[in-house]
Amino acid sequence: MLIQEFIQRLPKAELHLHIEGSLEPELLFIIAKRNNIDIPYKSIEELKKAYNFSCLQDFLNIYYQGASVLQTEQDFYDLTYAYFVKCKEENIRHTEIMFDPQTHTNRGINFSFVINGIYRACEDAKERFDITSFLIMSYLRHLSEADAFITLKQSLPYKNKIKAVGLDSSEQGNPPSKFKKVFEASIKEGYIPVAHAGEEGNADYIWEALDILKIKRIDHGNNCLQDLQLINKIKELDLSLTICPLSNKELKVVPNLNNHPLKKMLEKGLKPTINSDDPAYFGGQINQNFIEIQEALDLTKKELFELSRNSFEYSFLDKAMKAKYIVELEEFYRINK
Ligand code: HPA
Ligand code: ZN
């Protein structure tokens, strides 16, 4: 079996996906039109031309602009359902979806529209596609901790629909320590903590995320390789890193994929996974991420299998569900290796 088909059919979990970043230009235009929102692009082609980034902040500006077309519960449902249709095509069996409430509530959108629209699509995807999912409510780190506390409070009536809390947006200048108290409070409410760290920020940001926010998974974490002690600490804590190759390429976190740290992470015994981050903006879904990184680093089928195994193993599923998916994956690998 060719490697591309192997990747396509490999059962996998996605652990780093911003639902707002899955908004494809076509759906963005449809939603903008039905909500009577003027967008500063005449056509889908013109919009796509704007997707050319020199750093994280460049991207975030466009991403928040794109997300601003989302207004009704139905918009959030349609956005999320469209992502699940892609999941089915990509053979994603389980996904842990991040959403940014503040991107919407700060525009006057009701928190309930966001969570109910997204969650209803998750339920439908379970029923129609047999894909399981969890939601990760992410705090925007360029805003204040007090702002994050408001979001935490708004989420409490919907606690049973949310598995974890995350931390995203502009990393430089907004270290994890800024959110110490709101993470402590979130953990008390039963949310599992995760955070973006070491994407543009250095290894110190990852240390803070571990020591101060007590995170259970590291989003990106590329820059951990700067610090041998940190690598050992991550291994001791047995934490996974959610790696996003095309995102790293498009945001110039790596000069090109041949220099991507993924291979070194595997060699050092870390537990990376492959993810799409914001697939509508970075040129591909999860399988395209697998395909390009496989090619750039000459990854073997065994390594691809390991990456997929990590995605189930380090998901927040319970033991029984992890075992079920891993048996499915091992069966696939046994036949197709
Ligand atoms: N980094 C930080 N914030 C984000 C990202 C990312 O890759 N995607 C969406 N928000
Ligand atoms: Zn991200």
Side-chain angles (χ1 to χ4, degrees), residues 49-71:
K49 276 202 194 116
Y51 294 179
N52 188 357
F53 316 112
S54 60
C55 62
L56 174 60
Q57 192 58 50
D58 244 19
F59 155 70
L60 289 169
N61 297 338
I62 297 265
Y63 163 89
Y64 294 127
Q65 183 185 70
S68 71
V69 303
L70 302 163
Q71 296 200 332

Side-chain angles (χ1 to χ4, degrees), residues 16 18 196 220 277:
H16 185 154
H18 302 263
H196 284 54
H220 296 296
D277 206 3

Side-chain angles (χ1 to χ4, degrees), residues 27-159:
L27 185 59
L28 191 157
F29 266 78
I30 290 170
I31 293 178
K33 193 162 177 208
R34 77 184 181 205
N35 289 338
N36 285 317
I37 295 171
D38 265 335
I39 43 175
Y41 305 96
K42 284 195 210 69
S43 64
I44 289 169
E45 289 67 39
E46 205 180 299
L47 175 60
K48 283 183 181 167
K49 276 202 194 116
Y51 294 179
N52 188 357
F53 316 112
S54 60
C55 62
L56 174 60
Q57 192 58 50
D58 244 19
F59 155 70
L60 289 169
N61 297 338
I62 297 265
Y63 163 89
Y64 294 127
Q65 183 185 70
S68 71
V69 303
L70 302 163
Q71 296 200 332
T72 66
E73 185 178 320
Q74 190 63 38
D75 296 340
F76 288 95
Y77 177 89
D78 291 347
L79 168 69
T80 310
Y81 195 80
Y83 167 63
F84 276 114
V85 170
K86 292 254 160 65
C87 287
K88 185 72 188 163
E89 293 164 5
E90 304 272 313
N91 213 7
I92 291 174
R93 303 290 291 110
H94 173 73
T95 176
E96 305 194 346
I97 299 175
M98 287 184 246
F99 69 110
D100 297 340
Q102 289 155 298
T103 298
H104 315 297
T105 52
N106 285 359
R107 301 182 284 116
I109 308 297
N110 202 316
F111 188 97
S112 72
F113 294 174
V114 182
I115 184 76
N116 289 336
I118 295 172
Y119 192 75
R120 192 156 51 83
C122 294
E123 288 182 316
D124 286 351
K126 174 74 188 80
E127 183 151 332
R128 290 177 204 166
F129 304 139
D130 193 29
I131 297 171
T132 50
S133 56
F134 290 135
L135 296 180
I136 303 173
M137 177 174 79
S138 296
Y139 301 122
L140 298 182
R141 69 201 305 159
H142 68 276
L143 302 176
S144 69
E145 186 177 49
D147 235 79
F149 263 109
I150 295 170
T151 303
L152 171 60
K153 195 157 173 230
Q154 286 171 333
S155 77
L156 295 181
Y158 308 95
K159 215 159 104 169

Side-chain angles (χ1 to χ4, degrees), residues 245 248-250 252-261 293 296-297:
N248 292 162
K249 184 175 83 170
E250 293 302 318
K252 317 296 187 282
V253 166
V254 294
N256 57 59
L257 288 183
N258 300 310
N259 293 310
H260 196 282
I293 198 72
L297 301 179

